[in-house]
Amino acid sequence: MKNSIKILFLLVGFQFYSCSNSDDKYIPLVAEEGEQYSGGETTFFNTSEEAFGFAAPNLTFDEQSDFGIGNSFFRQSWVTAPSSTTARDGLGPFFNAVSCSSCHFKDGRGRAPLFDGETAHGLLLRLSITGVNSNGSSFQDPIYGGQLQDNAILGQTVKGKFNIIYQDINETLADGTVVTLRKPTYQINTLGYGALASDVKISPRVANQMIGLGLLEAIDESTLLSFADANDANNDGISGKPNYVYDIATNSKKMGRFGWKSNQPNVRQQVAAAFSGDIGITSSLFPNENCPPGVDCNSIPNGGSPEITDATLNKVALYSSTLAVPGRRNYTEQNVLEGKKIFETINCTSCHIPKIKTGNTHTITALRNQIIRPYTDLLLHDMGEGLADNTPDFDASGSEWRTQPLWGIGLINTVNKHTNLLHDGRARNVTEAILWHGGEAEKAKNKFKELSTIQRNQLLEFINSL
């Protein structure tokens, strides 16, 4: 029996089983109590292509009603003003998409375009230049603003288009597997209003899945700060830090939680910013149209001032805050549990915090005091030059990114028919995403590369069970 154990050890590498000295029998790993409830009481068990689109089951009747209204404004297309559909007119005059769901299809994740000129893919380009505003935000391009809007309403010239060129980079793993990574370069062309600023910085951002946003907002700031170690005082190579950003409603600095660099403080402002930048819909938070110099926005028909009322904006924000987190799949299987142990052993959990409790002060009672498993610390980490966009964003440097929550990652392919990951969708699967990790995550990446084939597959099974 002992010889067979030794042979098994040599074949598959270190196995995360316990062994009893009395009878040499394996003691299988077991899941934690409640591990399947990724979103606590907001968890919904569904593995269909609608998996990201359900309301948290613990909402009140009135919240369920507002959720439905917010859902309709999220999914349906906005139209050009003037229109008989007065509640949904005011599109543009410059925009990237006609609805929230154009980029967040089925409340899921966007991707890079598959071919030049493809629309409604869910990737946009942020633009900034050297310098910082009084509120801490970066200066925008003086002509094209803070975002390249690649569509326009009838009668207006499109600001510009872009295309992507990929360079292949090969990574070789310890077992001899060669993985080809794609390094993107972005080219902006067909500019409608003159040249970009000479020092313009381009930051690609892909639309994320919408699940669990309110739960992340409900985490106490003190909890998130307990994960921070900006000066790496414990010498583990991980130095997460918060991003402090401008909160428009309170005219103050708040901890950022949303966006790829944690550049938005709350769901409501994130939603309003997307309405403004992505669809061209004004709100009380973003009252101005995105018109380049020489274009008189006042002469272009609009959908009112503002084009989305606070009442409607609040319902879309509630909808975005209370989309249920899908429950775990296969979480009791031994391969998955072994992969979970490997995830911990190679120190992925230093940034992807497995379990957090939300606070008790959120305005939505259903989000309070929930034990959640988002696998994020919502902090900024230096991810190295390979992923750097060289674009500062409040306190975030050009190589720092927010730790991406991992809940729901295994259902992206089911919902959105692709497995593209990272801030620009360059990674075509989880393996490629891990291999792009650098900076603070360099050690964890190298440990991943050294795993045996079986161990690597176990780790991937675990991640895809989230």
Side-chain angles (χ1 to χ4, degrees):
M1 179 65 178
K2 291 183 179 178
N3 288 336
S4 64
I5 294 173
K6 291 179 181 178
I7 293 171
L8 180 62
F9 184 95
L10 292 173
L11 284 173
V12 303
F14 183 75
Q15 293 294 299
F16 296 99
Y17 284 107
S18 297
C19 185
S20 168
N21 291 328
S22 60
D23 57 7
D24 283 344
K25 291 183 179 179
Y26 290 124
I27 301 176
L29 296 168
V30 295
E32 299 171 44
E33 183 179 356
E35 189 170 349
Q36 68 271 37
Y37 297 101
S38 297
E41 294 173 9
T42 76
T43 305
F44 195 93
F45 289 89
N46 185 283
T47 58
S48 75
E49 63 181 13
E50 303 296 334
F52 294 157
F54 293 95
N58 56 340
L59 298 181
T60 67
F61 178 81
D62 287 343
E63 287 167 344
Q64 291 174 15
S65 176
D66 286 348
F67 179 94
I69 297 170
N71 182 20
S72 70
F73 279 95
F74 188 92
R75 293 182 179 240
Q76 294 185 27
S77 296
W78 291 74
V79 297
T80 306
S83 168
S84 58
T85 311
T86 56
R88 300 178 190 276
D89 68 353
L91 174 69
F94 304 95
F95 59 96
N96 295 107
V98 298
S99 68
C100 304
S101 62
S102 296
C103 298
H104 303 276
F105 182 65
K106 291 186 179 295
D107 305 292
R109 183 181 170 83
R111 54 169 173 76
L114 296 176
F115 54 86
D116 291 349
E118 183 189 15
T119 59
H121 42 74
L123 176 73
L124 58 82
L125 302 184
R126 294 279 171 78
L127 307 174
S128 64
I129 61 173
T130 305
V132 178
N133 292 300
S134 59
N135 64 14
S137 62
S138 298
F139 285 162
Q140 301 180 350
D141 183 272
I143 295 176
Y144 295 96
Q147 184 169 315
L148 181 70
Q149 294 161 315
D150 53 3
N151 284 297
I153 63 173
L154 188 65
Q156 301 301 319
T157 301
V158 173
K159 290 183 178 180
K161 300 289 185 180
F162 72 90
N163 63 287
I164 310 173
I165 298 173
Y166 290 104
Q167 172 191 351
D168 288 346
I169 300 173
N170 289 335
E171 284 268 11
T172 302
L173 309 184
D175 66 356
T177 300
V178 177
V179 180
T180 300
L181 307 180
R182 304 183 304 169
K183 181 180 180 180
T185 300
Y186 298 87
Q187 296 182 333
I188 297 177
N189 47 58
T190 322
L191 291 169
Y193 299 91
L196 291 159
S198 59
D199 61 341
V200 71
K201 298 176 180 65
I202 299 171
S203 181
R205 309 284 176 94
V206 75
N208 247 318
Q209 64 264 36
M210 300 291 295
I211 57 172
L213 298 184
L215 293 168
L216 300 179
E217 185 176 81
I219 301 171
D220 285 340
E221 182 172 336
S222 60
T223 299
L224 297 176
L225 290 177
S226 73
F227 305 142
D229 185 14
N231 298 315
D232 192 19
N234 62 2
N235 295 311
D236 68 349
I238 307 298
S239 53
K241 72 177 190 184
N243 196 4
Y244 284 97
V245 305
Y246 183 56
D247 184 307
I248 297 171
T250 63
N251 190 29
S252 64
K253 285 289 190 72
K254 296 286 180 65
M255 179 184 284
R257 299 171 187 244
F258 303 103
W260 284 98
K261 288 181 181 268
S262 281
N263 67 339
Q264 295 292 353
N266 52 61
V267 174
R268 186 172 185 266
Q269 186 167 308
Q270 170 75 21
V271 169
F275 269 118
S276 173
D278 302 355
I279 311 178
I281 299 297
T282 59
S283 65
S284 61
L285 294 181
F286 296 90
N288 300 318
E289 300 280 12
N290 302 294
C291 284
V295 176
D296 181 10
C297 278
N298 293 326
S299 66
I300 302 171
N302 61 51
S305 297
E307 291 167 326
I308 184 171
T309 65
D310 278 349
T312 300
L313 176 64
N314 291 341
K315 289 179 175 61
V316 179
L318 180 136
Y319 170 78
S320 302
S321 297
T322 56
L323 283 160
V325 178
R328 289 278 304 281
R329 289 86 48 216
N330 309 320
Y331 66 100
T332 62
E333 293 184 4
Q334 283 303 302
N335 272 353
V336 171
L337 290 167
E338 289 169 3
K340 174 186 173 184
K341 191 67 176 179
I342 295 168
F343 189 84
E344 297 168 353
T345 301
I346 67 176
N347 208 28
C348 299
T349 51
S350 285
C351 302
H352 294 282
I353 304 293
K355 185 164 63 174
I356 303 174
K357 185 176 181 178
T358 66
N360 62 1
T361 61
H362 199 280
T363 55
I364 301 173
T365 305
L367 306 178
R368 298 177 187 171
N369 300 311
Q370 298 299 314
I371 302 296
I372 62 174
R373 291 170 169 81
Y375 287 86
T376 179
D377 57 10
L378 294 183
L379 299 175
L380 299 172
H381 294 274
D382 188 334
M383 296 300 291
E385 285 303 309
L387 288 177
D389 64 355
N390 301 310
T391 302
D393 204 337
F394 293 97
D395 295 334
S397 74
S399 59
E400 289 179 323
W401 300 93
R402 182 195 71 160
T403 303
Q404 175 71 0
L406 297 183
W407 52 14
I409 190 171
L411 289 168
I412 293 173
N413 190 40
T414 300
V415 175
N416 297 122
K417 314 306 179 189
H418 70 80
T419 56
N420 295 353
L421 301 170
L422 298 179
H423 67 280
D424 52 9
R426 70 176 70 184
R428 289 164 291 193
N429 50 57
V430 173
T431 296
E432 289 186 24
I434 295 172
L435 293 175
W436 272 111
H437 282 50
E440 296 175 38
E442 185 80 23
K443 289 182 181 178
K445 177 190 71 176
N446 289 335
K447 289 178 182 178
F448 171 78
K449 292 173 68 174
E450 292 299 318
L451 295 175
S452 69
T453 305
I454 289 177
Q455 289 172 324
R456 188 171 69 249
N457 288 335
Q458 289 169 341
L459 176 63
L460 297 175
E461 283 190 54
F462 163 69
I463 293 172
N464 284 312
S465 78
L466 296 177

